[in-house]
Amino acid sequence: MANITTNVSASPLREGWKRFVAALVRGLEAQAAVTSRRNRIEALEAKSDAELARMGLRRDEIAYHVFKDLFYA
């Protein structure tokens, strides 16, 4: 009778797979953030100038308004 015990704690294949999945998740999260911002821009661009004025925005400030958290200005 033969007993085979495999205690592989950190195989290179498993670690590589974990890194791949983590990178894939980061990429999908980044894509979701970009899509969300793009949807916000499209929603603001669909508003009339009067609606934007009530929000305190001008049409040329829409992109800055949506991405302002990424800038230090």
Side-chain angles (χ1 to χ4, degrees):
M1 181 174 190
N3 287 332
I4 299 175
T5 303
T6 57
N7 291 331
V8 179
S9 60
S11 71
L13 183 59
R14 180 174 292 171
E15 292 303 315
W17 181 251
K18 284 182 182 179
R19 285 192 307 273
F20 171 76
V21 170
L24 183 62
V25 168
R26 283 192 308 272
L28 291 172
E29 288 173 347
Q31 178 62 32
V34 168
T35 301
S36 174
R37 288 180 193 267
R38 183 65 202 154
N39 290 341
R40 180 75 174 135
I41 288 173
E42 289 174 359
L44 289 171
E45 286 176 342
K47 293 185 181 294
S48 69
D49 288 338
E51 290 174 313
L52 290 173
R54 282 194 296 272
M55 297 173 66
L57 289 174
R58 292 190 325 243
R59 195 160 295 281
D60 62 339
E61 297 173 334
I62 291 175
Y64 175 76
H65 176 73
V66 173
F67 288 97
K68 67 184 173 191
D69 62 318
L70 300 178
F71 301 109
Y72 293 112

